[in-house]
Amino acid sequence: GQQLNQSPQSMFIQEGEDVSMNCTSSSIFNTWLWYKQDPGEGPVLLIALYKAGELTSNGRLTAQFGITRKDSFLNISASIPSDVGIYFCAGGNSGNTPLVFGKGTRLSVIA
Amino acid sequence: ETGVTQSPTHLIKTRGQQVTLRCSSQSGHNTVSWYQQALGQGPQFIFQYYREEENGRGNFPPRFSGLQFPNYSSELNVNALELDDSALYLCASSLVGQGTYEQYFGPGTRLTVT
């Protein structure tokens, strides 16, 4: 099935560093969602974006809806050990259409 | 507010058997979507149920079927299990019709087919 392109695939950073990751698509989406998944758990919604160009924050997390509607970015500031996990982007178009996911960015934080 | 719950947590089945997975949606939500997540991959859409009817299906064969009940809970049934069906099965609930497209996931059911 269709998947979005997420990069990087994985990253190792020092505690306290800032993190950036992105997600691109060949198709336009009206909604971009960012999730975090811990091992053995379901994805947890972090941020939802509904408007091209929109910049939304949730604590140390900031996400942007690209103006082309084909990409989105997630930044984490001042990383801490509990930020470790896999971050997924997902694109959607309406409430009753499926979300299309990327393969995820695996984040490791070195204390 | 009660979140999305799934049962069982883990399941081991033999090839050719049938399995039923269950999902209770978050209170106030009216739609359930099911996803299959293979190791190292993002979730792949199986199908969605809205008002007790299938409302969209991904690229999965007919041996994957489902139900939604009047209380919005849902079941995923898989017949004639194959080894490749081993995966984490996730359900997500959402509220369709209110202008938001957020889906909230349960913890998943880990299915192993031997």
Side-chain angles (χ1 to χ4, degrees):
Chain A
Q2 180 188 3
Q3 282 194 326
L4 306 178
N5 299 310
Q6 275 190 257
S7 65
Q9 288 185 335
S10 63
M11 51 196 317
F12 291 81
I13 61 169
Q14 290 284 139
E15 184 177 355
E17 288 184 347
D18 296 344
V19 174
S20 291
M21 59 189 78
N22 66 33
C23 188
T24 60
S25 169
S26 57
S27 306
I28 288 173
F29 288 106
N30 292 325
T31 302
W32 284 94
L33 304 174
W34 284 92
Y35 290 87
K36 177 176 182 275
Q37 187 173 29
D38 292 329
E41 302 289 330
V44 173
L45 181 64
L46 300 173
I47 292 179
L49 302 159
Y50 289 101
K51 190 175 176 182
E54 178 183 359
L55 192 70
T56 297
S57 293
N58 177 9
R60 294 178 296 106
L61 278 61
T62 301
Q64 184 162 23
F65 192 142
I67 56 172
T68 67
R69 292 163 62 196
K70 291 184 177 181
D71 56 7
S72 180
F73 307 87
L74 177 69
N75 296 308
I76 305 173
S77 62
S79 58
I80 59 178
S82 62
D83 291 334
V84 166
I86 303 177
Y87 291 80
F88 289 99
C89 62
N93 282 314
S94 69
N96 59 356
T97 59
L99 295 178
V100 178
F101 282 82
K103 287 191 175 183
T105 292
R106 182 181 294 274
L107 178 63
S108 300
V109 178
I110 303 166
Chain B
E1 185 178 86
T2 306
V4 180
T5 60
Q6 291 186 243
S7 63
T9 306
H10 296 87
L11 205 51
I12 299 175
K13 289 286 190 177
T14 303
R15 193 172 59 179
Q17 285 188 317
Q18 178 265 343
V19 69
T20 298
L21 310 181
R22 294 180 174 82
C23 171
S24 291
S25 60
Q26 184 169 310
S27 60
H29 286 182
N30 57 14
T31 302
V32 173
S33 303
W34 285 92
Y35 293 82
Q36 180 194 67
Q37 186 177 25
L39 211 57
Q41 302 292 318
Q44 291 285 323
F45 175 71
I46 303 174
F47 43 55
Q48 183 184 80
Y49 276 83
Y50 173 63
R51 291 183 175 175
E52 301 178 48
E53 291 192 358
E54 188 178 292
N55 181 43
R57 189 179 185 94
N59 189 26
F60 282 82
R63 58 190 185 83
F64 285 78
S65 63
L67 285 172
Q68 186 182 32
F69 301 99
N71 66 355
Y72 306 117
S73 65
S74 177
E75 284 183 357
L76 164 65
N77 299 291
V78 187
N79 293 322
L81 283 167
E82 300 177 0
L83 297 179
D84 284 349
D85 295 334
S86 296
L88 181 67
Y89 287 85
L90 297 162
C91 81
S93 75
S94 54
L95 180 59
V96 169
Q98 299 298 312
T100 62
Y101 308 151
E102 296 152 30
Q103 295 188 11
Y104 295 86
F105 284 84
T109 294
R110 171 74 61 188
L111 173 65
T112 302
V113 182
T114 61

